[in-house]
Structures are given as C-alpha cells and as structure tokens.
Amino acid sequence: MITNKLPDTDLLLSDFHYDLPEDRIAQTPAEPRDSSRLMVLNRADGSLEHRIFRDIIDYLRPTDTLVVNDTRVIPARIVGHRILRRDGTGAQVPTDSTGPVELLLLKQRENDVWETLAGPGKRAKPGDVLDFGDGILRADILEVIEGGCRLVRFTVQRGADSFFAALDLLGTMPLPPYITEKLADPERYQTVYSKHLGSAAAPTAGLHFTPELLDRIRDKGIEIVPVLLHVGLGTFRPVKEDRIADHEMHSEYIRVTEEAAETVNRRRAAGGRVIAVGTTSCRVLESAADENGILHPVSTDTGIFIYPGYRFRIVDALITNFHLPESTLLMLVSALAGRETILRAYRTAVEMKYRFFSFGDAMFIQ
C-alpha cells in the first residue's frame, strides 16, 4: 500500500471549519450537467472569476492533460435480515430476528469478499449470516476490522448470474446523507465516462462533464487520460482527531496503466500541465508519481493523506467541487491553493449562493 510521510504541522481540525447555511447544499444535479457554476481560482494572485462550467474550456491549453477517474458507482447499499447467529458454544443457530440490517459496500478485497459498514452492528457480528432478497444473496460476516467495518463474504444463491447482477437487483445508489431528495435518474450520480465498477460514491468533480464538452476539449488538442480510484471510506471518513496529522486515511484501490503513465509523462515533459479532475484523480497521481514527477504504472492500495505542507509532485491544477467543512477533501485543496485562500474563496461562494457538495458547483484551481 502507498502511504506518504506526513508533513509536520500544528494545524487543527477547527482550522478547516467554515459556516455553511443548509440551503446551500445542492439536493439535485444541474441540468444539463455542464450548466453548473464555475469559480476559477488563480493561485498566483488569489483572484477569483465566476463562470459557467462549460467555460472551463477557455482556461485549458492545447498542451494540457486532463486526468479523470473512470470508476463506476455500484448500488452499494443493500438491506436484508439476519438468518443465522453464533451462540455461546460457537455454533451457528437460526435466529428469529426480523429487524433490518443494512450493509454499505466500501471496498472489494478479493472476488466475493468486501469491506462493509454495517448497521446496526449488533446484527452483523462475526459468525452471523445475512439474507438479502429472500434468498438471492447471502452474506457471511467474517470479522470486525479497522473502524468497526465488517469483512463480509457474499454468495449468490439464486436469481442472478453474478454478484454485481445481484447488486443491480437488490442494491440502491449510496447517496451521501446530506442529500435528502430522491434521485430520479441513477445515471446522474455517474460520470459520463464511468467504466469500472467498484465505488461506493461518485468522483463528483467529473459529474459536470458532458460528452459534447469532452469532444470540444479533445478537439482543442487536450489529452484526456483515465486513471482509477474506487471511492470508499478513505475519501469521506470524518476526521475525529483534533490534530489533523493524527488522522489515518482508510486505504482505497488505485490503478494507473502503462499507457496512461506514458501519455502523462510525455506531455508533461513537453511542458504541458497535468490537471486532475477531482480529488480522487489527484490522489492517484500523487500516489503513483515519484519525487521527480514521473508517473509510474501501479495497481495497489493508497492511503495518501494530503494537507497543507504537502509538496505536490505532478498535479499542476485541479477541477473540484466545494467540500464539507473539516473534511480531508477540504484539506487537500487547501494544500494546493493555501488554507486562507481556500477559506476566503469558500466564504465568497457562500455569499454568492454557489451550490455545495456532491451535486453542487465546481471550482478550477490553477
């Protein structure tokens, strides 16, 4: 697993707080996708411009490389009930527990074994067996792991020819808890270039792109390069420690192909900028790049934690959304642009009624 030596810092969690009225939290996505607002932050002088997202093309240069995360969100929230529990002797016995048990799939370990969040945890103890869809899918709780997560082995019993097919039948899209309105079209929580199943949440900076806008970007000479990070608990896990340096990231799977690495390295060597679409793409690039800014092919886990004091190896600019107060995502963008600069930009966004979080507006940090 890739980790990083954390920079020394006295920064506290409270240093990343800002006030956000509840009505600034976007409940539905913009239509069309590229009609959301765009704040452009110039790191050189701290200046701000206010545009529409489709205007992003005006800020991109023909020599740029746009790096996107082509993960695809799975219907990762499933609800079932416990059918077997382990008694005092260690034997599995039937249970008449009829209360619901919810699993949120976070990360695939191997084939049919997943890291999950379970609720309530008392109905998902090691040795318990859960049923989903009246016999379609079975889950054996193997052990409790880091952060109270459950390691679970799934078995398709009937009605589906694969695990992901069973999820399509039984699961729901795991929208963040701050989104209370029902999503009419589940595809609006997928990027238009999503490809590889495995995420518990969308890489939301990419939600602003349309196929037409991507075509215009390519026509300008800009290369669009896919990398992969399956979004799990590491991206959204709350920071509970007062000193941010004491926080440990939950690992997430990443992949950079040889072709992607070669393209990024070639264009960067020619003087082009590397622009990450979203904090997940940024974390992939910074995990897979060496001290000289050379990107290497990888297929591994990363627990990289980026906050002010971090020296970026390869990312020159970032397209991102507006993030939760005191989140690791807010810390990452603060590392790139400066904490005070970011908090000032966020205060401006609140005053100008930008829409925040997953379905909200975008920022281009250049």
Side-chain angles (χ1 to χ4, degrees):
M1 183 178 80
I2 296 171
T3 58
N4 58 313
K5 182 180 180 181
L6 301 178
D8 293 332
T9 183
D10 294 324
L11 287 171
L12 303 175
L13 184 60
S14 57
D15 292 324
F16 296 90
H17 178 77
Y18 68 91
D19 294 320
L20 181 69
E22 189 173 339
D23 63 2
R24 300 293 191 274
I25 301 173
Q27 294 295 315
T28 55
E31 290 294 349
R33 289 174 182 257
D34 60 359
S35 66
S36 54
R37 296 171 72 185
L38 175 69
M39 176 184 286
V40 181
L41 169 60
N42 190 319
R43 287 189 289 157
D45 58 11
S47 62
L48 300 175
E49 296 180 66
H50 307 282
R51 305 286 293 270
I52 300 300
F53 188 80
R54 65 178 67 97
D55 298 335
I56 188 72
I57 195 167
D58 296 338
Y59 297 89
L60 302 179
R61 307 165 189 166
T63 55
D64 286 341
T65 302
L66 212 59
V67 180
V68 301
N69 179 10
D70 63 358
T71 189
R72 186 166 175 81
V73 185
I74 60 175
R77 180 170 282 116
I78 54 176
V79 179
H81 66 280
R82 184 172 60 172
I83 56 174
L84 295 175
R85 64 176 176 83
R86 185 164 285 169
D87 66 11
T89 69
Q92 286 183 323
V93 297
T95 175
D96 57 2
S97 172
T98 57
V101 184
E102 178 181 289
L103 294 184
L104 176 62
L105 280 63
L106 297 175
K107 179 182 175 185
Q108 188 174 19
R109 281 279 191 95
E110 54 181 89
N111 297 327
D112 53 356
V113 177
W114 285 73
E115 294 180 17
T116 71
L117 283 177
K122 64 182 180 181
R123 296 188 193 138
K125 298 178 180 179
D128 288 351
V129 177
L130 312 179
D131 174 78
F132 300 90
D134 293 326
I136 292 177
L137 189 65
R138 169 178 168 145
D140 291 82
I141 310 299
L142 303 179
E143 60 179 294
V144 179
I145 56 175
E146 175 190 1
C149 295
R150 269 55 174 178
L151 200 62
V152 176
R153 175 178 289 111
F154 290 99
T155 306
V156 177
Q157 303 284 89
R158 64 172 184 85
D161 58 8
S162 70
F163 173 68
F164 286 116
L167 278 188
D168 283 338
L169 291 173
L170 304 171
T172 57
M173 199 64 75
L175 294 178
Y178 50 76
I179 295 177
T180 57
E181 293 192 21
K182 186 175 180 180
L183 183 62
D185 179 9
E187 280 300 308
R188 287 301 278 107
Y189 195 57
Q190 306 277 13
T191 63
V192 295
Y193 46 75
S194 64
K195 186 175 181 181
H196 302 286
L197 288 166
S199 276
T204 54
L207 296 179
H208 303 283
F209 289 94
T210 64
E212 294 77 16
L213 178 57
L214 291 170
D215 286 342
R216 290 175 58 210
I217 289 171
R218 291 188 187 95
D219 289 344
K220 194 172 180 177
I222 297 152
E223 190 86 31
I224 300 175
V225 175
V227 296
L228 181 67
L229 182 147
H230 284 324
V231 185
L233 191 59
T235 297
F236 299 103
R237 180 183 176 192
V239 178
K240 297 181 179 179
E241 294 80 5
D242 289 334
R243 291 183 68 254
I244 64 169
D246 294 334
H247 176 72
E248 291 187 13
M249 295 288 286
H250 191 92
S251 66
E252 294 165 305
Y253 175 76
I254 64 171
R255 184 173 70 222
V256 177
T257 65
E258 290 188 9
E259 181 182 4
E262 188 278 328
T263 300
V264 170
N265 291 331
R266 172 172 45 81
R267 290 177 66 88
R268 189 166 190 264
R273 295 183 301 176
V274 175
I275 301 174
V277 176
T279 57
T280 59
S281 298
C282 177
R283 292 180 67 231
V284 174
L285 290 166
E286 292 299 315
S287 296
D290 63 25
E291 293 290 344
N292 298 314
I294 303 300
L295 189 64
H296 296 274
V298 297
S299 178
T300 186
D301 289 345
T302 185
I304 192 171
F305 183 18
I306 298 174
Y307 57 77
Y310 177 85
R311 185 180 67 84
F312 284 82
R313 299 177 174 185
I314 193 168
V315 171
D316 300 302
L318 175 69
I319 297 170
T320 187
N321 280 19
F322 292 91
H323 304 295
L324 276 71
E326 301 181 352
S327 64
T328 60
L329 306 181
L330 182 59
M331 295 170 193
L332 185 153
V333 297
S334 296
L336 184 62
R339 183 181 67 89
E340 293 183 358
T341 299
I342 285 293
L343 291 178
R344 176 175 59 83
Y346 272 50
R347 288 193 294 270
T348 300
V350 170
E351 293 168 1
M352 295 186 65
K353 297 186 177 181
Y354 274 74
R355 302 165 77 239
F356 278 65
F357 306 162
S358 294
F359 285 147
D361 296 317
M363 174 185 281
F364 181 39
I365 304 173
Q366 64 172 348

